[in-house]
């Protein structure tokens, strides 16, 4: 049995790298608003006194690796990006020697150069400008605050990746990169879409179950509203901000405030020029705090017949009235070997009870 995956190098499939016995297993780690990392574990043999894989230029620094897997009737690209490291374990005689190749998605290229740039623009316009330097299709959500030199300029003193991630946190957004089966990459600067039909259903406690266990926890000692007061330096007037709840769609019908009515307030202080900028930062704080329910489980491509991907929404069924419903996928660890494609899934939820429709 093969891995059930296609490994491509610089957009060219490499069938010899997928031969049974050459690849031991592949791992891909994707996380909400983070870089996707991959490792390919090869089995090494000594031939004519050398290990050919160690000198294979396709596995050297900068080679672009794509890992594609079936998703229903189509192919999905789990990750596409450059190799940045190797780890080699050599055993005397060569038997059971291994080579581990490490890489990440294309956001790695955005983290190579320190830059000092001033922008007179909104956060989203600045992000679009940054992304224009890379071969990425931009998916950039709009942000409200305009930064002007006469007030507070928007200054970048970091790599492009660090700068974009900072602006994402400021607005309650995430920044991540996806790739389709054709190798076309999209850079997302937005809030995850919590509306619409779930991408997959995780079932427990039914005859047609597709996960054997589900661990769920909640922590209600989190901010349930956010407020702040700032001074407008232009006219010395007050800038008041209040956000009573996360602006995101609820994934259930019982909010944290309804479940745990004791009010926890966060006070935010930030250099802002208008109420729109202040509100965006307060919303960001509330979005981060709102995911008070966390869950984890493990499934496989065979059991589910669908891939689970970070930044998507799934349906949990069979966990009782309080915990069944929609969840945001916070992270997935894919492991592909000759036996199976398993997925360790981490889930987040900003409400309890049945999903609000």
């Amino acid at each position: 049995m093969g891995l059930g995956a296609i490994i491509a190098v610089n957009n060219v499939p490499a069938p010899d790298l997928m031969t049974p016995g050459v690849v031991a297993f592949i791992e891909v780690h994707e996380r909400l608003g983070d870089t996707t990392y991959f490792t390919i574990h090869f089995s090494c043999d000594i031939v004519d006194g050398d290990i050919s894989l160690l000198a294979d230029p396709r596995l050297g620094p900068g080679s672009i690796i794509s890992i594609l897997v079936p998703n229903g009737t189509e192919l999905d690209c789990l990750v596409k990006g450059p190799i940045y490291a190797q780890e080699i374990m050599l055993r005397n005689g060569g038997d059971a020697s291994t080579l581990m190749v490490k890489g990440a998605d294309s956001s790695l290229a955005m983290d190579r150069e320190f830059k000092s740039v001033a922008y007179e623009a909104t956060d989203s316009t600045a992000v679009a400008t940054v992304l224009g330097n890379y071969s990425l299709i931009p998916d950039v959500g709009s942000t409200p605050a305009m930064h002007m030199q006469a007030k507070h300029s928007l200054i970048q003193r970091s790599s492009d990746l660090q700068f974009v991630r900072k602006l994402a946190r400021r607005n309650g957004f995430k920044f991540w990169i996806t790739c389709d089966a054709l190798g076309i990459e999209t850079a997302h600067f937005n809030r995850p879409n919590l509306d619409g039909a779930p991408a997959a259903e995780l079932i427990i406690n039914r005859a047609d179950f597709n996960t054997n266990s589900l661990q769920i926890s909640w922590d209600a000692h989190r901010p349930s509203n956010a407020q702040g007061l700032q001074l407008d330096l232009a006219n010395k007037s007050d800038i008041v901000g209040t956000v009573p709840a996360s602006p995101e769609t609820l994934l259930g019908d019982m909010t944290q405030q309804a479940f745990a009515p004791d009010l926890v307030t966060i006070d935010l202080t930030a250099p802002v020029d208008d109420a729109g900028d202040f509100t965006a930062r307060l919303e960001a704080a509330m979005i981060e705090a709102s995911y008070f329910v966390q869950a984890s489980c493990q499934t496989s491509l065979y059991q589910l017949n669908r891939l689970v991907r970070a930044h998507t929404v799934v349906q949990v069924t069979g966990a009782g009235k309080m915990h069944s419903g929609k969840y945001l996928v916070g992270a997935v660890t894919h492991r592909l070997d000759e036996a199976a494609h398993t997925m360790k899934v981490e889930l987040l939820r900003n409400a309890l009870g049945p999903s609000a429709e």
Side-chain angles (χ1 to χ4, degrees):
M1 180 183 294
L3 288 173
I6 296 173
I7 299 174
V9 182
N10 300 323
N11 294 318
V12 178
D16 59 311
L17 297 181
M18 297 175 283
T19 304
V22 174
V23 177
F25 62 93
I26 299 171
E27 285 189 336
V28 177
H29 305 271
E30 51 179 322
R31 183 170 293 276
L32 195 67
D34 202 355
T35 300
T36 298
Y37 294 92
F38 66 86
T39 57
I40 306 176
H41 298 250
F42 293 96
S43 299
C44 297
D45 292 322
I46 296 178
V47 180
D48 297 328
D50 199 4
I51 301 174
S52 59
L53 279 177
L54 300 185
D56 192 326
R58 297 175 300 173
L59 303 180
S63 288
I64 304 300
I65 298 292
S66 303
I67 299 172
L68 299 100
V69 296
N71 187 13
T73 59
E74 301 178 346
L75 281 177
D76 263 16
C77 183
L78 288 181
V79 63
K80 175 185 177 181
I83 293 172
Y84 67 82
Q86 286 187 359
E87 290 185 16
I88 304 101
M89 170 63 75
L90 298 179
R91 300 186 184 276
N92 189 43
D95 290 343
S97 295
T98 59
L99 166 64
M100 182 167 63
V101 172
K102 297 183 178 183
D105 68 31
S106 295
S107 65
L108 207 66
M110 299 175 61
D111 201 28
R112 291 172 176 163
E113 180 184 356
F114 176 91
K115 296 180 180 180
S116 183
V117 184
Y119 297 90
E120 289 196 59
T122 63
D123 292 348
S124 52
T125 302
V127 169
T129 300
V130 169
L131 295 178
N133 298 319
Y134 302 91
S135 299
L136 301 166
I137 295 176
D139 169 29
V140 178
S142 178
T143 58
M146 181 69 184
H147 304 281
M148 303 295 293
Q149 187 175 3
K151 295 184 177 181
H152 289 96
S153 296
L154 180 59
I155 305 295
Q156 174 184 355
R157 288 196 178 94
S158 63
S159 71
D160 285 341
L161 181 60
Q162 292 167 339
F163 178 62
V164 171
R165 288 254 162 86
K166 180 180 76 172
L167 297 184
R169 290 193 301 271
R170 181 181 291 180
N171 291 278
F173 284 23
K174 302 296 181 185
F175 176 69
W176 73 102
I177 294 176
T178 59
C179 182
D180 66 17
L182 299 177
I184 299 172
E185 297 168 281
T186 300
H188 306 271
F189 177 83
N190 227 317
R191 294 172 182 173
N193 182 11
L194 304 185
D195 300 305
E201 184 179 18
L202 296 168
I203 303 171
I204 194 168
N205 295 325
R206 272 187 6 190
D208 58 343
F209 71 94
N210 53 34
T211 182
N212 291 319
S213 63
L214 179 68
Q215 182 173 344
I216 305 173
S217 63
W218 56 259
D219 174 9
H221 188 66
R222 289 167 170 256
S224 48
N225 71 87
Q227 63 186 24
L229 179 64
Q230 189 55 267
L231 182 69
D232 188 327
L233 298 180
N235 57 28
K236 304 301 187 291
S237 64
D238 288 338
I239 302 175
V240 179
T242 302
V243 173
S246 168
E248 289 191 316
T249 299
L250 289 175
L251 297 174
D253 63 3
M254 184 186 297
T255 65
Q256 177 190 340
Q257 293 93 323
F259 178 62
D262 291 336
L263 196 63
V264 180
T265 300
I266 183 173
D267 254 313
L268 182 67
T269 301
V272 296
D273 294 319
D274 55 54
D277 193 4
F278 211 2
T279 297
R281 296 189 187 220
L282 291 167
E283 287 184 350
M286 286 307 304
I287 289 171
E288 183 176 349
S290 68
Y291 288 95
F292 69 104
V293 181
Q294 299 184 357
S296 62
C297 67
Q298 180 168 312
T299 185
S300 70
L301 185 60
Y302 173 77
Q303 289 177 292
L304 195 60
N305 199 32
R306 296 291 303 172
L307 285 177
V308 179
R309 305 299 305 273
H311 306 95
T312 64
V313 171
V314 297
Q315 174 77 22
V316 170
T317 299
K321 291 182 179 179
M322 180 173 286
H323 292 298
S324 293
K326 292 182 179 179
Y327 285 74
L328 174 63
V329 181
V332 186
T333 297
H334 303 264
R335 180 187 167 105
L336 296 84
D337 58 29
E338 293 191 7
H341 175 167
T342 60
M343 295 174 282
K344 293 181 179 179
V345 184
E346 298 176 26
L347 303 171
L348 304 170
R349 203 173 190 215
N350 58 9
L352 294 168
S355 299
E357 300 294 346

